[in-house]
Amino acid sequence: MCLVGLNILKVVSFKSCCVFSAWIHGDPRKVVYPTDSHGQFCGQQDTPNANKAILFYFNMLKCANPAVLINLQCPTTQLCVSKCPDRFATLLDARNTKNWEYYKQFCKPGFEIETGGKVIRDEDCPSMIVPSRPFLQRCFPDFIKRDGILTVANQTIFKDGDNNKRSVNDLKDAAIGIASLLNAKEVGMKIFEDYANSWIWILIGLVITMVVSLVFIMLLRFTAGVLLWLIIFGVIIAVGYGIWHCYWEYSSLMGKPGSNVTITDIGFHTDFSIYLQRSQTWLIFMISLSVIEAIIVIMLIFLRSRLRIAIALLKEGSKAISYIMSTLFYPVITFFLLAICIAYWAVTAVFLASSGNAVYKVAPADDKCMYANLTCNPQTFNKSNITKVCPGSQCMFAFYGGESMYHRYILVLHLCNLFVFLWLVNFTIALGQCTLAGAFASYYWALKKPDDIPACPLYSSFSRAIRYHTGSLAFGSLILAVVQMVRIVLEYLDHKLKGSQNACARFLLCCLKCCFWCLERFIKFINRNAYIMIAIYGKNFCTSSKDAFFLLMRNVVRVAVLDKVTDFLLFLGKLLISGSVGVLAFFFFSRKIPVFQEEVPSLNYYWVPLLTVIFGSYMIAHGFFNVYAMCVDTLFLCFCEDLERNDGSSSRPYYMSPGLHKILRKGEEIPKSSAAS
């Protein structure tokens, strides 16, 4: 593994150099602050624009697409202002009236009144202003729909720079996009408001999930059989009730007018109650739940003979966790390390995205200029020949970029940053799996439990993983990261080829995506068991992978049945806990619990906290049960190894508990080497 360690060190050194270069050339202010036509940041402290945090566009009619506005590539002068215009006005009308003092704040600093044509041609002042409001730190026309008609400040007609009457529909292309953006902003504000009003209840729901998950795992030690059968029948009954309720709702809506309108005809709405008033919605729910119910019942019929053995394995896992309770809180460490990885990737991505230099382009007054969109230098532009050939043209800021070797490889550096992010995430998960496996293996290989269990097994396992197994964990994570990177590239190619007419290329890409998905699943399975063998024997990754693979192949029946049965039971447990908390949250936020009706906060969308509680509950339950699953997998692999190494005699006794040995001997065919026991 020395060569592997050296190669890993080289890659990390390369990544460090890339990150160092990004942090040198990058400037997050380019992302945080809008940039005006002169390349100055709006709202930056200790600059003339400190109190001017909003970007204003001189001629909105030149911006046909709102995406152009957001990307700062609209071919008109852009100026930092302290506030957006709140009225209609034109330069021709304003400069000879008392409105001039208000109007000139939207002109370039130091502007003096000159002839109107030269002012408009050079864009020293906007030819017109329209009522606007800030969005994404930019002034957008204040579009509002009145009875289905698009208006600006309740008007459908306004004057342009030549005092000609124009319709708001002249901004139609921009208006449609901006209206959708503003609607998205309004929905976002309502969602934020719901979170602000209900965060305490969301937190209570997640705490309830944590307590229930902890109690559930503790109860498995004493009542594993009863509890797991309760889970199985509880899920079957709950899904069955859901099917009946969906059928009842479907039947009651069938006779009502308007309920037969399809979901596709309705379109997307943030108010989910609209969908609940359609019979098709409940039909879809009923069919989905029926399929789930059928799958669960069929799996239970075929796996019924293995449930007893799986329950015994889960019961043994509960004992191990009860002796090493600290393992239940290890997911907090994993979450903290993953948060660091995500933050590191995000910060580096921002620095890379902002590491370009300001690029200026020629913005002509008309479309006949031969120098249009060519790169220019604002410091020498007025002395160049361009101003003579194209009167009224300007050298304006366009975007951040560059032509150097570093800037040409920005995309490559982004891909490297993404690859190392995947590598670090997989390494963090691998470290957690190896640490937990080492702790649970120390429980299994203790002959007299719990007397022979070493002190602080979790800390000892974590220390060993960091000190001795970092290279092996990094190598296994590297292999997985390479496969995941290939999958991301394939997804990108699939997205680009969506509209392609080449059926052969689409078929080949689909096959590659399927193959690499299977490969990723297989590598995750091998890595997980390899980390367990690393924790037990301390061998390198390749040797541990080989040993784990052949050990599992020698026990392929047990692997295919017992391991998957326990995974299925644990999944039902996660489903039951998150589903129960979700149902409780639904009745609470929909004000269907009489005792707590007055405590329910006022919400715009009650599904916002509801979905948050359901998702958060599942993730918390998954965190607890993931420790449990790692415990079961470790004990299962140790059990297989125990059967091959020992025969139950006084000189080579089994390390498994008598109860587990009895059930496994009764339910499985033990190899001949262990028959002497």
Side-chain angles (χ1 to χ4, degrees):
M1 296 297 290
C2 293
L3 291 176
V4 174
L6 289 174
N7 290 331
I8 291 172
L9 184 61
K10 290 179 182 178
V11 175
V12 173
S13 300
F14 171 74
K15 168 63 178 176
S16 300
C17 292
C18 295
V19 172
F20 185 67
S21 299
W23 288 355
I24 289 177
H25 296 283
D27 188 354
R29 295 178 303 173
K30 299 172 185 176
V31 179
V32 176
Y33 301 109
T35 308
D36 66 10
S37 296
H38 302 289
Q40 299 175 340
F41 299 120
C42 299
Q44 184 186 356
Q45 297 298 320
D46 301 324
T47 66
N49 292 330
N51 297 322
K52 300 177 179 180
I54 308 172
L55 193 66
F56 170 71
Y57 298 89
F58 270 30
N59 191 349
M60 186 65 65
L61 293 173
K62 291 184 178 181
C63 308
N65 193 327
V68 173
L69 300 179
I70 298 172
N71 292 327
L72 303 177
Q73 295 176 355
C74 184
T76 187
T77 300
Q78 299 154 29
L79 185 71
C80 297
V81 296
S82 57
K83 61 180 180 179
C84 296
D86 60 5
R87 65 194 71 172
F88 284 106
T90 64
L91 177 63
L92 297 177
D93 291 339
R95 63 180 185 168
N96 296 321
T97 64
K98 61 181 180 179
N99 289 330
W100 173 245
E101 289 299 320
Y102 175 82
Y103 194 95
K104 75 175 184 179
Q105 66 179 313
F106 302 105
C107 300
K108 293 180 180 179
F111 166 75
E112 297 294 337
I113 298 180
E114 300 179 23
T115 56
K118 186 175 184 301
V119 171
I120 295 175
R121 186 193 66 191
D122 295 341
E123 288 199 337
D124 292 324
C125 263
S127 60
M128 63 176 182
I129 59 175
V130 297
S132 307
R133 55 176 169 174
F135 181 59
L136 300 176
Q137 291 184 274
R138 292 158 179 84
C139 290
F140 286 91
D142 189 9
F143 290 107
I144 300 175
K145 279 192 174 182
R146 301 287 184 183
D147 298 327
I149 300 174
L150 196 65
T151 66
V152 175
N154 296 326
Q155 296 187 29
T156 58
I157 303 296
F158 66 95
K159 290 184 179 180
D160 63 9
D162 297 325
N163 270 351
N164 296 321
K165 290 186 177 181
R166 303 284 292 269
S167 171
V168 173
N169 290 328
D170 292 338
L171 296 173
K172 183 178 180 180
D173 293 337
I176 294 174
I178 294 172
S180 63
L181 288 175
L182 294 177
N183 289 335
K185 180 188 177 184
E186 184 179 359
V187 172
M189 291 300 295
K190 288 183 177 180
I191 291 175
F192 179 80
E193 183 180 344
D194 287 343
Y195 277 124
N197 293 334
S198 61
W199 69 269
I200 185 77
W201 295 104
I202 294 175
L203 189 61
I204 291 174
L206 299 181
V207 170
I208 292 174
T209 304
M210 187 180 299
V211 173
V212 171
S213 300
L214 187 61
V215 171
F216 183 86
I217 290 177
M218 294 301 298
L219 288 175
L220 280 176
R221 179 184 178 185
F222 306 102
T223 59
V226 176
L227 204 58
L228 288 172
W229 281 112
L230 284 177
I231 290 176
I232 293 170
F233 288 111
V235 170
I236 292 175
I237 292 172
V239 176
Y241 171 78
I243 295 172
W244 175 82
H245 182 76
C246 292
Y247 176 76
W248 181 80
E249 292 283 355
Y250 174 76
S251 301
S252 61
L253 288 173
M254 281 298 292
K256 294 183 179 180
S259 63
N260 58 347
V261 179
T262 62
I263 296 177
T264 54
D265 293 337
I266 297 175
F268 176 75
H269 289 276
T270 55
D271 186 4
F272 279 13
S273 62
I274 295 176
Y275 299 104
L276 299 180
Q277 297 171 5
R278 303 294 178 264
S279 59
Q280 188 186 49
T281 304
W282 294 103
L283 180 63
I284 293 173
F285 287 163
M286 182 175 64
I287 294 174
S288 302
L289 290 175
S290 299
V291 172
I292 294 173
E293 185 87 333
I295 292 173
I296 294 174
V297 171
I298 291 172
M299 289 185 69
L300 289 174
I301 291 174
F302 283 99
L303 300 177
R304 64 187 185 278
S305 61
R306 304 289 178 175
L307 286 177
R308 188 183 176 195
I309 303 171
I311 288 172
L313 204 56
L314 291 172
K315 193 172 183 179
E316 191 69 17
S318 299
K319 290 181 181 179
I321 290 177
S322 65
Y323 288 129
I324 316 174
M325 286 292 294
S326 55
T327 55
L328 287 175
F329 302 98
Y330 186 84
V332 177
I333 298 176
T334 301
F335 175 79
F336 176 73
L337 294 176
L338 288 176
I340 293 176
C341 294
I342 295 172
Y344 176 76
W345 167 78
V347 170
T348 304
V350 169
F351 271 89
L352 282 172
S354 62
S355 59
N357 299 319
V359 176
Y360 296 84
K361 298 282 187 179
V362 176
D366 52 51
D367 297 333
K368 299 179 181 180
C369 179
M370 59 185 296
Y371 296 102
N373 294 323
L374 292 181
T375 305
C376 58
N377 187 340
Q379 297 179 352
T380 60
F381 181 76
N382 291 330
K383 301 177 183 178
S384 66
N385 190 47
I386 300 177
T387 55
K388 298 177 182 178
V389 177
C390 303
S393 61
Q394 299 184 69
C395 183
M396 297 196 309
F397 168 80
F399 54 87
Y400 291 106
E403 300 296 331
S404 67
M405 181 70 70
Y406 170 78
H407 293 106
R408 285 201 294 268
Y409 285 94
I410 286 289
L411 178 60
V412 176
L413 295 178
H414 273 295
L415 292 176
C416 290
N417 185 39
L418 176 61
F419 174 74
V420 175
F421 168 71
L422 296 173
W423 191 4
L424 290 175
V425 168
N426 290 323
F427 177 81
T428 301
I429 295 173
L431 177 63
Q433 291 176 343
C434 189
T435 299
L436 292 172
F440 294 128
S442 65
Y443 162 81
Y444 186 92
W445 297 111
L447 187 59
K448 297 180 180 179
K449 303 175 179 64
D451 298 335
D452 291 344
I453 299 176
C456 303
L458 183 66
Y459 174 76
S460 300
S461 178
F462 182 79
S463 302
R464 287 194 303 271
I466 291 293
R467 184 176 181 180
Y468 300 111
H469 309 317
T470 305
S472 297
L473 300 179
F475 184 62
S477 305
L478 176 64
I479 296 173
L480 185 57
V482 170
V483 176
Q484 290 174 337
M485 195 68 188
V486 173
R487 287 196 63 203
I488 291 174
V489 173
L490 291 175
E491 289 292 342
Y492 174 77
L493 293 176
D494 183 52
H495 176 72
K496 288 296 183 181
L497 295 175
K498 283 284 187 188
S500 174
Q501 302 298 323
N502 193 332
C504 182
R506 293 201 308 271
F507 174 75
L508 179 62
L509 195 60
C510 183
C511 292
L512 287 173
K513 286 171 59 179
C514 180
C515 291
F516 275 93
W517 179 84
C518 295
L519 180 61
E520 182 184 0
R521 299 289 296 181
F522 176 74
I523 290 176
K524 283 183 176 180
F525 175 76
I526 291 296
N527 282 8
R528 184 182 180 92
N529 290 282
Y531 299 147
I532 295 175
M533 297 299 285
I534 289 172
I536 296 173
Y537 293 108
K539 297 180 182 180
N540 61 48
F541 177 80
C542 295
T543 304
S544 299
S545 298
K546 182 192 68 174
D547 293 343
F549 179 77
F550 286 112
L551 178 63
L552 294 172
M553 289 300 100
R554 290 192 297 270
N555 297 270
V556 65
V557 176
R558 296 189 181 102
V559 173
V561 179
L562 292 183
D563 192 41
K564 295 309 167 189
V565 170
T566 54
D567 288 344
F568 177 65
L569 291 176
L570 292 177
F571 171 73
L572 290 182
K574 289 185 283 188
L575 201 64
L576 184 63
I577 291 175
S578 58
S580 300
V581 176
V583 170
L584 182 64
F586 170 76
F587 284 113
F588 175 79
F589 289 115
S590 59
R591 300 177 183 271
K592 294 185 178 180
I593 303 179
V595 180
F596 295 103
Q597 282 187 350
E598 296 182 359
E599 303 294 333
V600 179
S602 178
L603 300 171
N604 297 295
Y605 313 116
Y606 74 86
W607 53 264
V608 170
L610 175 62
L611 292 181
T612 304
V613 169
I614 294 174
F615 177 76
S617 298
Y618 184 83
M619 294 307 297
I620 290 174
H622 177 74
F624 279 100
F625 281 86
N626 196 42
V627 174
Y628 205 100
M630 195 67 203
C631 176
V632 170
D633 288 346
T634 303
L635 296 180
F636 179 73
L637 213 60
C638 290
F639 157 74
C640 294
E641 186 73 9
D642 194 11
L643 285 179
E644 295 191 355
R645 285 171 49 179
N646 304 302
D647 57 9
S649 63
S650 57
S651 59
R652 289 192 298 166
Y654 287 126
Y655 284 81
M656 69 184 77
S657 65
L660 181 62
H661 179 231
K662 181 180 178 181
I663 292 178
L664 289 171
R665 287 274 307 210
K666 194 173 182 179
E668 298 287 345
E669 180 182 353
I670 302 296
K672 293 181 180 180
S673 60
S674 61
S677 62

